[in-house]
Amino acid sequence: MACTDLRRSIVHFCVILMMVGFSGLGCESGASSSSTLPGPNFAGPVITSSTPPIPPPPPVASPEKTVSRFQLTDRSVPASWIPSSGVPRRDWKWIVIHHSATPDGGAARFDKAHKSKGWDELGYHFVIGNGTDTPDGMIEVGSRWPVQKHGAHAKTPDNRYNEYGIGICLVGNFDLTRPTEKQMASLIRLVTYLADEYRIPTTNILGHSMTGKSTDCPGKFMDIQALRAAVARQRKGR
Ligand SMILES: [Zn+2]
């Protein structure tokens, strides 16, 4: 009997406990309990990681990618690119690309070097600097161009590329280093203008070694096919 009374007492006690406990879950008490919650956070999630995320490395630009993505933004033509007034245009058929095969230089220095060989003057029509003698990507116009004089840069038995080829030299040795991005941008701009103006087919844009001459010029890092493609794309955009 005592055992039954004790069990009843325990059950009674538990019922009272439950009633007291549930009374704490009413609306009012619920309201009061929510007041203890932290306020809303409008500042966004808090990153608790102690190590900051490592940013990805910046993309490395290569002249090849620059050429393939190149878009002409400046189609203006410097006055020096236009032959002197009254001078008849030469019937240019090719554009021949060279490298200087030297780490540095510019039109003035090459002019001296060519004269020291007994040539009349600078053999190229244009020189594109690499930041040594002249600013990186700067286009110098040789003294032959305003008077539409033949070049002296790509000798062959019939001399056709000197007679009717526009000679462009980029400063640098492109067997060892790549042309700079600015040099390539200037080259595409100049070649696009010349090819359009003198109606030269894109396939007639040549590296010096493509004229039949046994030479490495303009070096393994000058990609003539990429240059042609870039120029063709600019021409289509006109
Ligand atoms: Zn050459």
Side-chain angles (χ1 to χ4, degrees), residues 97-99 124 153 208 215 217-218:
I97 311 299
H98 303 262
H99 70 159
Y124 312 114
H153 54 88
H208 188 185
T215 173
C217 180

Side-chain angles (χ1 to χ4, degrees), residues 61-176:
S62 71
E64 285 82 0
K65 284 183 181 168
T66 307
V67 169
S68 64
R69 286 198 228 108
F70 187 84
Q71 280 299 323
L72 262 183
T73 52
D74 183 3
R75 291 182 184 272
S76 65
V77 177
S80 59
W81 293 9
I82 299 167
S84 303
S85 62
V87 174
R89 291 164 166 232
R90 203 172 183 87
D91 186 17
W92 302 112
K93 291 181 170 61
W94 295 278
I95 296 171
V96 184
I97 311 299
H98 303 262
H99 70 159
S100 67
T102 59
D104 44 28
R109 206 195 303 197
F110 301 151
D111 180 57
K112 272 188 195 163
H114 290 177
K115 281 175 179 165
S116 73
K117 290 186 190 179
W119 299 1
D120 48 356
E121 58 187 317
L122 174 70
Y124 312 114
H125 295 101
F126 298 91
V127 175
I128 301 179
N130 68 345
T132 54
D133 284 16
T134 59
D136 187 12
M138 178 176 164
I139 299 172
E140 292 184 280
V141 181
S143 46
R144 295 173 183 273
W145 184 251
V147 294
Q148 295 286 281
K149 188 176 176 182
H150 66 82
H153 54 88
K155 193 165 179 57
T156 53
D158 64 2
N159 221 26
R160 66 167 81 175
Y161 298 110
N162 275 338
E163 285 293 329
Y164 300 107
I166 302 170
I168 301 174
C169 177
L170 290 85
V171 180
N173 184 335
F174 304 147
D175 272 325
L176 303 176

